[in-house]
Amino acid sequence: MHKMEPSNVIKKPDERYVLKDLSKSAVFAIMISTPFQLKKIIGWPATVAVLFLIQVTGTIFRKHLCGPVKSWLNCFLDALFYIPCNLKLGIYRTPCDIDTAIKDAMAKTGLSDFDDDGSHSFANKYRLSRNIGMQQLHKAHHSPFGFIVEKIVLSKRMELRLQLVDYLKKHPSIKDVKFAKAPISVIGYPRTGTTYLHDLLGLDPKTRSHLVWEQLSPLPTTHDESPLAQRSNRQKRYNGRLNEYYFKKRLAGDYFQAVHRVEYDLSEECLTFCSMELPWNILDLHFTPCSAEKLFELGAGRSYEFYLRFLQVLTWQAPELPSTWMLKCPWHLAYLDDLHTTFSDSPFIWTHRNPLECISSSCSLFFAIASQVMDPWTIDKKVLGRNVAKYARLSFDRAFAAVKKHKDTLKIVHVKYTDTIKDPIKVCKEIYTAIELPFSSEYESLLKTYIAKSNKKREEQSKSGISGKVGKIHCYSLEEYGLNADEISSDYKSYIENYC
């Protein structure tokens, strides 16, 4: 029988942890005292110059390792926070995970109601995705500043869920908001032309898309429900997040913009609104392909219910704007069954592109996302590629299964990427006919102007060499990610023949 130790017996601490803590303390002491010791020898001006040189050297070294995938600003901040990160100081003392984010969010907001049973089981998808993702990408590790950014963003997502639940309690009429027409969603596997098509469809002045700034600050910060107060508050929130946006844009750098355009006043997919439960926090998204098989088994939970509430909040606070929502998100494809359950009257526009092109491009996308918060040289591209290929197969299979399951109620419009590029106005007209929206002459005029400007800009970039530079920045291949073109062509033969 096991003998219990007396409670007053003090256990001897593990010497390994004692030595580890002592070494950290010693390094920290040296780090703090070094500038003062240098100051005694060479004076403050020279000391500052030496420290500046060390920082510059660290930045250049990291930029050399990262290449174009990370901006100079990102590399500078990684170098700046390298020592605190490795010594686990300050923000690095607690892990970057969903449970820490939940605690931090409750502490910051003073709120505790996540509109669940109190067990926070909604976070299971985040836990599973991160755990399996880190196992698959076992060599990858956070960059020093990437750890901070991801931790802050994840906490903000949980803050947003708490604030949404609280705001809906205080303004229950929001749940009664109706739309002029059921929301329309552009879906399709990532890199199949969803963004370009959504940009075209979003030009119609009788429809509305949620913008980047609205995702940064979707909830009113006033409880005054009058139209004047709400308009004023929207303008205040718009102005209040500009500096944050420009900092994030500089932090992401040209590479990320070449992969995926993000502009303050332009439309953006619904990752923020759906990440209340699905692990779609943008900086966690690279874990999704790695965990897809297990993750999909858990379903979407209440993610789309929260998405609906956000659309109602945005409609409620700006009733003067159109209430026919034109939405877009490629990540919906695998959850088409759940999406249709919540938005049962909504039509869906499914974009199709040859998997040889979209799978390799999506590999590059996931690598670009991961590199924002991970050290790029620690990411095994071939492991990532295999997982992305599996994720693609699962996504297509689940989507077609949903179409078959809801064949009598699901409204799907299939669009080929090649058709959109060849004749975008014709495609838009066909979509409008299928979803029973009036195609106005005003909208057609806006389309022609937009396409003409887009073509002119492309020609100017080609002549100036900018397009070539962008191509050099964002280049990729199937082989780079350990994938075989013949295998993919064979696997998707029927799909390519019927939809591409």
Side-chain angles (χ1 to χ4, degrees), residues 19 51 67 81 186 201 240 260 306 322 326 342 349 396 408 416:
L19 290 172
L51 294 176
F81 286 93
V186 179
L201 296 172
H260 179 69
F306 279 102
M326 187 65 73
T342 302
I349 303 161
F396 281 111
D408 296 327
K416 295 180 181 179

Side-chain angles (χ1 to χ4, degrees), residues 98-107 109 111-123 154-166 169 276-277 302 305-306:
I98 189 64
D99 295 297
T100 302
I102 288 171
K103 291 177 184 176
D104 290 347
M106 290 193 294
T109 62
L111 302 171
S112 59
D113 186 2
F114 284 96
D115 194 12
D116 71 330
D117 59 6
S119 67
H120 303 157
S121 59
F122 65 86
L154 190 55
S155 178
K156 283 184 178 292
R157 294 295 174 269
M158 295 301 102
E159 289 172 31
L160 189 56
R161 176 165 174 153
L162 287 167
Q163 291 163 344
L164 174 65
V165 172
D166 183 64
K169 281 182 187 176
M276 302 299 100
E277 188 160 336
R302 296 177 61 202
E305 179 187 336
F306 279 102

Side-chain angles (χ1 to χ4, degrees), residues 24-41:
K24 282 186 180 180
S25 300
V27 172
F28 182 63
I30 293 170
M31 181 180 72
I32 295 298
S33 65
T34 296
F36 295 97
Q37 296 298 324
L38 280 174
K39 178 254 182 183
K40 292 179 182 179
I41 301 171

